Amino acid sequence: MTHIFPIRVYYEDTDMGGIVYHANYLRYIERARSDWVRNLGNDQNAMREAGIVWVVRKIEAEYLAAARFDEELVVETEMSKLSGVRLTMTQLVKRGETEIFRATVTAVCMNSDGKPVRLPAEIRALL
């Protein structure tokens, strides 16, 4: 199932030429991932209180076209792989039907000591 998250490009998101600054795409996809796991029923605050947090282990990103000030974009998030310790997602930023940014994101869970842990069974069940 694909999760859709709308984004509007604000002036603060752009460089001097009115084009979205490259690092802001990472912020956009982070917001979309957070919204996606929340909508699945994963309470990240409860996870943190239990001593487990999501962390990004790897991102592969492709910048395909420029987005500009005041445009309406959407971030599409879809799970592409799930194992006992990793969740891999494909995230697309689109303007209409035009794909302008693509990322493959691998996330893992870590405990409060900074050590990787298996994804909790209740999270795997949600996915």
Side-chain angles (χ1 to χ4, degrees), residues 22-125:
H22 71 279
N24 286 328
Y25 290 98
L26 299 177
R27 292 175 52 218
Y28 296 162
I29 65 173
E30 174 70 31
R31 290 178 199 163
R33 282 194 311 278
S34 293
D35 194 66
W36 179 58
V37 297
R38 182 183 305 110
N39 286 344
L40 287 173
N42 178 213
D43 184 345
Q44 292 186 74
N45 286 316
M47 278 182 66
R48 187 181 66 241
E49 289 169 6
I52 299 174
V53 295
W54 284 108
V55 296
V56 170
R57 184 179 185 283
K58 179 179 178 182
I59 295 181
E60 295 177 39
E62 295 180 80
Y63 298 87
L64 306 168
R68 300 186 186 312
F69 170 68
D70 206 36
E71 288 184 333
E72 293 181 6
L73 310 174
V74 296
V75 180
E76 296 180 1
T77 303
E78 192 169 287
M79 181 179 66
S80 52
K81 191 185 297 184
L82 179 66
S83 74
V85 295
R86 290 187 184 103
L87 168 60
T88 303
M89 297 148 281
T90 300
Q91 292 191 276
L92 309 174
V93 178
K94 296 171 90 175
R95 178 183 48 245
E97 293 302 313
T98 303
E99 197 175 304
I100 60 174
F101 177 84
R102 170 185 285 270
T104 302
V105 180
T106 302
V108 298
C109 286
M110 295 185 86
N111 64 22
S112 55
D113 294 328
K115 306 270 191 222
V117 296
R118 292 184 61 77
L119 299 178
E122 59 272 13
I123 291 175
R124 287 195 315 272

Side-chain angles (χ1 to χ4, degrees), residues 8-21 24 27-28 67-71:
R8 178 172 296 277
V9 176
Y10 293 101
Y11 185 75
E12 67 188 22
D13 297 329
T14 63
D15 61 17
M16 292 178 66
I19 296 172
V20 172
Y21 182 68
N24 286 328
R27 292 175 52 218
Y28 296 162
R68 300 186 186 312
F69 170 68
D70 206 36
E71 288 184 333

